[in-house]
Amino acid sequence: MIGELALEGYLSVGLFPKLGYLDGLRKLLQDGLDFMDRANAEATYKVWDVNWGSIFTRANGSAISILTEYALRKHRQPIQMPEKVTLHSDPALGSLSRANLAPLREVVSTPSFRRYQDLHIICMSRSNQTSSIRGTLLLLISSRTGKVLYYLVLLGLIVLFCFLGAFGTAAVVVIGLVSKMVCRTLRVSRPSGYLLNNEKHDACMLSAVHENAQTWYLYMGDRGVIDWMLNKTMLQTPSANRLQMAYFRMAHILQLSAMTFVAAQKSVDGLCLLILLASTHGFQYLFGGYKRARQWLEAEQVSIDAHTFRFSGRTPMIGAIHALSQARSAEWMETLIAPCPRISAWFNGLDSSVDPMTRQDLGALSSSDRSWVLLNTQLAIEAEKLIRRELRNGKATESLHVKGGS
């Protein structure tokens, strides 16, 4: 509910809301910010701000999940990242002597444990865009004229169902129609500074359900968009009077009663409800697929790209993310990788201008730790190069938009 509201910017109710949805609207109007805080706490997704080192829980409910699902809808096969090091000289690592290659040869020749990690990189940016035909149709449907026509169609259906004796189905439609009209009377506004960037750099934020996850989401690009999506509340709770809150409580009870009545009937009532449900879902499939994501991207003129990469382990993935970011310290990764001498040596080696074979801090490590540092350093650097190349060659995710000038 909170995610949908955050994207749409206004309260909305479907013709067939889920049981409990109407009562949830009442709780939102009654509890306000406290309800939103509890909804965000139930989301459980954590966010690591790579550039700043802060850790927090996702804001705005499922809003970012809706956009992420939309961006990833056509990305099925992940791009496999390197699992073995290249033993020849590499410009990023400097000249490797025979003695220094010995630990690496041992690691490459020894079977190692793999715990694969999937990294979904979501790039968001501002762009000047024009609507496609499908986008224009969605805007017309959402316009005031489109809504008036929609309400007239619903009134006609109510009369038809009553004429056929399908009073339960007619009651369900009446509840949905009245709920839509009540929602129209509630004003929801965006906070001041909505989607504005208060920093001079792009965002790089990592998200997962917990620290031990195997699926990760990296949001990169316009900080104004990403920071508001993940960290700041995108809307102000509407003010409502007691009559409006009482209506949603009563509508919840009436909806449950009407659905129970229809289910108990073995006549035309159940058939009418079934046909209406099928027609509604068919209409949503044709015009409302990823509707909220499409409309929000269209309204805010935001482009979104998605890429998926599969790493052989967490350390190369974290190293590649750090190399892609503008972070200067390792504070953001301390809850993901426990600090220790070899981690410090590995972190220092992520600077591609440093030759790891000539660094003094490697001498204090054991042979096994030194080989681990060399292996994961090169895997992270090679992964970063592949990711940068893929991001440069990537195409914008198909959406409502046709980029200006193309």
Side-chain angles (χ1 to χ4, degrees):
M1 177 191 299
I2 298 300
E4 297 170 355
L5 178 59
L7 291 179
E8 292 182 337
Y10 56 87
L11 289 176
S12 64
V13 177
L15 185 58
F16 297 102
K18 297 179 181 179
L19 293 178
Y21 185 88
L22 296 175
D23 194 49
L25 285 179
R26 178 191 64 82
K27 293 179 181 178
L28 171 63
L29 297 175
Q30 178 177 311
D31 299 336
L33 293 177
D34 182 64
F35 179 87
M36 297 177 65
D37 290 340
R38 285 186 275 111
N40 290 331
E42 294 173 358
T44 71
Y45 271 88
K46 301 184 68 173
V47 180
W48 290 262
D49 191 331
V50 179
N51 291 334
W52 287 87
S54 57
I55 303 174
F56 49 89
T57 303
R58 277 187 187 180
N60 301 303
S62 61
I64 193 66
S65 297
I66 295 173
L67 293 179
T68 301
E69 182 182 355
Y70 168 73
L72 291 172
R73 70 196 187 282
K74 293 185 178 181
H75 292 260
R76 303 301 181 189
Q77 295 298 326
I79 299 174
Q80 186 66 47
M81 292 289 99
E83 297 187 20
K84 297 180 180 180
V85 298
T86 304
L87 296 183
H88 57 73
S89 178
D90 184 85
L93 294 179
S95 58
L96 304 180
S97 65
R98 184 173 302 177
N100 289 327
L101 277 175
L104 277 177
R105 293 186 187 277
E106 182 180 350
V107 173
V108 172
S109 61
T110 304
S112 58
F113 173 75
R114 296 284 188 270
R115 184 171 183 244
Y116 291 102
Q117 310 277 307
D118 284 348
L119 177 65
H120 303 291
I121 298 183
I122 313 298
C123 299
M124 306 181 74
S125 61
R126 304 293 184 98
S127 60
N128 296 322
Q129 300 155 338
T130 57
S131 300
S132 65
I133 296 178
R134 186 174 185 180
T136 303
L137 289 175
L138 284 175
L139 291 176
L140 289 175
I141 294 173
S142 302
S143 65
R144 179 173 299 180
T145 302
K147 290 185 180 296
V148 170
L149 292 175
Y150 179 67
Y151 292 154
L152 291 177
V153 171
L154 292 183
L155 288 174
L157 287 175
I158 293 172
V159 174
L160 176 62
F161 290 143
C162 290
F163 178 78
L164 295 176
F167 299 106
T169 304
V172 171
V173 178
V174 169
I175 294 170
L177 176 59
V178 177
S179 297
K180 284 178 175 292
M181 297 179 69
V182 173
C183 284
R184 297 279 295 179
T185 64
L186 297 170
R187 301 297 180 184
V188 181
S189 59
R190 299 291 193 185
S192 176
Y194 172 64
L195 294 188
L196 294 181
N197 187 5
N198 57 355
E199 301 293 342
K200 295 183 180 180
H201 58 81
D202 286 340
C204 184
M205 299 188 183
L206 182 67
S207 181
V209 292
H210 52 72
E211 290 85 347
N212 203 33
Q214 292 181 270
T215 302
W216 303 80
Y217 301 89
L218 182 65
Y219 298 93
M220 303 179 65
D222 188 281
R223 183 176 176 82
V225 175
I226 296 174
D227 190 43
W228 274 92
M229 293 293 300
L230 292 174
N231 192 28
K232 299 176 181 176
T233 302
M234 295 172 60
L235 50 90
Q236 295 177 339
T237 53
S239 57
N241 55 46
R242 293 185 178 181
L243 181 61
Q244 291 167 323
M245 289 186 285
Y247 165 77
F248 284 114
R249 182 62 179 271
M250 180 183 65
H252 166 68
I253 298 174
L254 291 176
Q255 182 197 29
L256 181 60
S257 302
M259 297 296 289
T260 304
F261 175 80
V262 173
Q265 299 298 311
K266 297 181 179 179
S267 60
V268 69
D269 211 347
L271 180 61
C272 288
L273 182 61
L274 180 62
I275 295 175
L276 187 59
L277 280 170
S279 301
T280 301
H281 286 295
F283 181 82
Q284 291 177 347
Y285 177 80
L286 291 176
F287 295 99
Y290 301 102
K291 173 184 175 181
R292 294 180 179 88
R294 292 175 182 271
Q295 287 185 336
W296 186 85
L297 292 171
E298 173 76 14
E300 307 300 341
Q301 293 190 334
V302 174
S303 289
I304 186 168
D305 300 336
H307 307 268
T308 301
F309 304 92
R310 176 163 293 172
F311 290 80
S312 59
R314 177 177 300 179
T315 305
M317 182 190 73
I318 297 297
I321 292 173
H322 184 83
L324 288 168
S325 72
Q326 299 173 352
R328 296 183 179 181
S329 69
E331 293 181 2
W332 73 273
M333 65 176 75
E334 290 181 353
T335 60
L336 302 176
I337 302 179
C340 64
R342 76 173 186 178
I343 290 296
S344 299
W346 164 78
F347 175 75
N348 293 333
L350 293 178
D351 184 357
S352 59
S353 63
V354 177
D355 186 350
M357 297 301 137
T358 62
R359 286 164 40 207
Q360 298 297 322
D361 54 351
L362 292 180
L365 301 177
S366 65
S367 176
S368 61
D369 283 349
R370 188 162 56 251
S371 63
W372 183 93
V373 169
L374 296 175
L375 172 66
N376 284 282
T377 298
Q378 186 169 1
L379 288 179
I381 293 176
E382 290 183 1
E384 182 226 354
K385 292 179 180 179
L386 290 175
I387 291 175
R388 287 191 184 277
R389 184 168 66 244
E390 185 67 23
L391 295 182
R392 284 196 300 267
N393 298 334
K395 296 180 179 179
T397 302
E398 179 188 354
S399 66
L400 290 174
H401 324 306
V402 178
K403 292 193 174 181
S406 61

